[in-house]
Amino acid sequence: MNIKSRLTLLFTMLVGSIMALFCLSVYYFYDQYREKQFYSFLNERAQTIAQLVEASQDISKADIEKIEKENNTIFLNEEITIYDGADSLIFTGGNEKFTLSKTILAEARAGREIRTKHDKKEAIIIRHVLQDHRKPWVVMAVANDVPGMNQLKRLREILVIGWLLSLVLVGVAGWQFANDAIKPVSDIISQVNNISAGNLHEKVTVGREKDELAALAQTFNQMLGRLEIAFIAQKNFVSHASHELRTPLALIMSEAELSLMKERASEEYKVALKGIWSEAKEMNELVSRLLELARTEEHAFKVTFSKIRVDEVLWQAKASVQQKNPGYEVHIHYDKIPEDEEQLKRYGDESLLKTAFMNLMDNACKYSNNKTVNVFLEIQKDLIKINFKDVGIGIASDELPYIFDTFYRSATTISKAGYGIGLALTKRIINMQGASIEVESELGSGTTFILKFPPF
């Protein structure tokens, strides 16, 4: 069952239930009113008959009917029974004699009005105070409320028919209501179905501006924006990777082709193989960087996070950088670290974090004349702050916004070896750890990268 049908059914059931409850309430309260009115009428009838009997002790039912017929007050199916002060039956105005217990007679004579049912008829038992102040009589009147029951039956028919007709109208109104409520959703579905990889720039729109469906459309638009960015990034990634890999591949192929063109001495083959090996090594490093970049996709490795000491990872990165490049100098300054080692611990991926530190150290040494980087580690109100400071060539202010883009290389570094992946990879890793990275630089005066790790 689709949402439109479900909404229509629920709306019809809800309104139909409310209307049914209203109809039952009308029927119930009208029945109570009818019953109250009829008992009041029986009370008057019982008093009237008792007065007639009191006025003439020898009066019979036929005489009473004759008098009432003349006055147009006769009531069909009426049964009247009168007990005198000695609890003796003195009058029966019907075909049935009603025997009342001493308890009921006593209660009625004490002034209580007793209402009850007898063979689907209403019955009332009351006292009649005599004019000569003798002991009160007890009068029982039993009758069918034929007019009242007919009216009640007619009311029931009207309410049932009215409820059924209203239910049909409510169903139609519910369908229109559901159609109006679902229409924006149908519009959104239609628009989303028309969006593909080629037109991710298109946005989903709805006629309403400030409801949940508008919020849903906005969420779709935000998702489409993220997808568009991801598609562009993927396209750029493939394009740049292909471009970067094409050069070493072309060199390898050229070197191999030249070597195979004619017979050469073994030393010449060794030189050619060394050139091929060097280019293959560059390709291997580039591929490794690309794989590391792919590993840092958002949330990819959060499950491997564990509590690590940031200072220990720094020392490991320093050892790896200096082992790989013996001419590089990495100085770690930790004068402002606390005695409590727990303040130096954070949740993260140790391997990735080490890679990020190595990238920053390697870049700083590579682009500094003295091949040196100073790393300052300190704690500021539970915030771990690490500065990587060099005195290298620096970065122009207009290039700073782009240095973390994949494959971007500034004008001052384009002539040196590199792929433009290191800083993009570093930023992704740092952000994955829940930390932030900032950069301060000036041409000719060096660059400082600032990492800030918040508390757990």
Side-chain angles (χ1 to χ4, degrees):
M1 181 183 294
N2 56 33
I3 296 178
K4 184 186 295 184
S5 300
R6 191 180 300 115
L7 279 177
T8 302
L9 180 60
L10 291 175
F11 181 80
T12 303
M13 290 176 61
L14 177 61
V15 178
S17 300
I18 294 174
M19 292 175 58
L21 183 61
F22 173 75
C23 292
L24 289 173
S25 300
V26 171
Y27 182 82
Y28 172 78
F29 287 114
Y30 181 79
D31 184 48
Q32 295 294 308
Y33 174 76
R34 177 206 61 80
E35 187 177 272
K36 180 180 178 181
Q37 291 295 103
F38 188 65
Y39 276 124
S40 177
F41 174 79
L42 282 182
N43 190 312
E44 294 178 2
R45 291 288 298 160
Q47 293 290 356
T48 300
I49 299 301
Q51 289 174 3
L52 290 174
V53 173
E54 180 186 1
S56 177
Q57 292 289 341
D58 297 329
I59 195 169
S60 64
K61 177 185 177 185
D63 295 332
I64 294 174
E65 290 179 353
K66 183 178 179 180
I67 294 172
E68 294 182 338
K69 188 175 182 180
E70 292 175 354
N71 296 324
N72 293 324
T73 58
I74 188 168
F75 198 81
L76 300 178
N77 299 324
E78 183 183 82
E79 305 284 348
I80 303 293
T81 301
I82 301 177
Y83 288 83
D84 62 10
D87 296 340
S88 298
L89 184 62
I90 60 173
F91 178 82
T92 300
N95 299 323
E96 185 177 355
K97 294 181 180 180
F98 297 96
T99 302
L100 302 178
S101 66
K102 295 291 185 180
T103 303
I104 293 177
L105 290 171
E107 289 180 359
R109 192 171 282 114
R112 179 189 170 196
E113 183 181 281
I114 301 174
R115 297 177 179 180
T116 184
K117 300 284 186 180
H118 180 76
D119 292 337
K120 298 182 181 180
K121 297 179 180 181
E122 276 88 5
I124 189 171
I125 304 172
I126 60 172
R127 72 176 179 180
H128 173 67
V129 180
L130 302 173
Q131 294 182 359
D132 56 7
H133 303 293
R134 287 179 295 164
K135 194 173 183 180
W137 291 354
V138 175
V139 184
M140 180 178 182
V142 181
N144 272 329
D145 184 11
V146 178
M149 295 305 293
N150 288 337
Q151 293 175 358
L152 194 63
K153 180 182 178 182
R154 182 59 179 164
L155 176 63
R156 182 168 62 247
E157 293 173 352
I158 292 173
L159 290 175
V160 170
I161 294 173
W163 180 76
L164 292 175
L165 291 176
S166 299
L167 203 60
V168 174
L169 295 176
V170 168
V172 174
W175 179 261
Q176 294 296 328
F177 166 78
N179 187 59
D180 179 68
I182 296 300
K183 187 178 183 302
V185 178
S186 302
D187 293 341
I188 291 175
I189 293 174
S190 177
Q191 294 179 64
V192 172
N193 285 334
N194 291 328
I195 296 175
S196 61
N199 60 343
L200 287 172
H201 59 278
E202 294 187 7
K203 303 302 180 185
V204 177
T205 58
V206 293
R208 299 159 183 167
E209 297 181 355
K210 295 182 179 180
D211 59 7
E212 289 78 2
L213 293 177
L216 176 63
Q218 185 178 3
T219 302
F220 270 121
N221 290 334
Q222 292 172 353
M223 180 188 68
L224 291 173
R226 292 193 296 270
L227 287 175
E228 184 177 14
I229 293 172
F231 269 91
I232 293 174
Q234 182 186 39
K235 183 178 179 180
N236 291 337
F237 181 85
V238 173
S239 175
H240 285 91
S242 301
H243 179 269
E244 294 292 335
L245 289 171
R246 187 182 294 115
T247 301
L249 278 173
L251 290 173
I252 290 174
M253 292 174 64
S254 299
E255 192 75 31
E257 185 178 4
L258 288 172
S259 299
L260 294 172
M261 287 179 66
K262 63 179 182 178
E263 291 291 332
R264 299 176 183 275
S266 60
E267 289 300 324
E268 293 178 334
Y269 280 122
K270 287 182 180 180
V271 172
L273 288 175
K274 286 182 179 180
I276 292 174
W277 177 84
S278 177
E279 295 298 331
K281 181 181 177 183
E282 292 292 325
M283 284 183 60
N284 181 67
E285 185 176 350
L286 175 59
V287 170
S288 298
R289 288 292 181 130
L290 291 174
L291 289 175
E292 288 178 343
L293 195 64
R295 284 187 65 208
T296 58
E297 290 297 329
E298 188 177 7
H299 306 306
F301 279 82
K302 280 195 174 181
V303 291
T304 65
F305 279 11
S306 59
K307 188 180 286 189
I308 57 177
R309 280 191 57 164
V310 176
D311 59 330
E312 291 182 354
V313 180
L314 271 176
W315 283 101
Q316 294 172 14
K318 172 186 176 180
S320 297
V321 168
Q322 291 185 330
Q323 181 181 9
K324 183 179 178 181
N325 301 281
Y328 288 178
E329 293 290 335
V330 180
H331 302 292
I332 299 178
H333 307 272
Y334 48 91
D335 300 334
K336 298 182 180 180
I337 64 173
E339 295 181 359
D340 183 8
E341 66 177 24
E342 289 296 321
Q343 292 185 331
L344 292 169
K345 292 183 178 181
R346 292 294 185 271
Y347 281 104
D349 187 296
E350 184 174 350
S351 175
L352 290 177
L353 192 59
K354 178 182 175 183
T355 299
F357 290 163
M358 288 177 62
N359 285 339
L360 293 174
M361 293 175 182
D362 186 76
N363 279 354
C365 293
K366 182 190 301 183
Y367 300 117
S368 297
N369 293 329
N370 59 0
K371 308 299 181 183
T372 302
V373 59
N374 290 285
V375 182
F376 299 90
L377 173 65
E378 58 182 295
I379 301 294
Q380 295 180 348
K381 297 181 179 179
D382 295 330
L383 186 76
I384 298 178
K385 185 177 178 181
I386 307 175
N387 291 352
F388 294 80
K389 184 175 179 61
D390 64 55
V391 289
I393 56 181
I395 305 171
S397 58
D398 58 339
E399 292 183 320
L400 286 177
Y402 310 105
I403 62 172
F404 294 112
D405 292 347
T406 308
F407 299 112
Y408 179 81
R409 303 191 69 191
S410 65
T412 54
T413 62
I414 196 70
S415 60
K416 296 182 178 292
Y419 308 104
I421 295 177
L423 288 180
L425 175 62
T426 298
K427 183 172 183 179
R428 288 193 185 185
I429 293 174
I430 296 303
N431 290 340
M432 282 180 63
Q433 318 295 313
S436 64
I437 181 170
E438 302 172 2
V439 58
E440 297 176 355
S441 184
E442 186 177 345
L443 280 176
S445 300
T447 303
T448 301
F449 286 90
I450 305 167
L451 307 187
K452 295 180 180 178
F453 293 81
F456 292 121

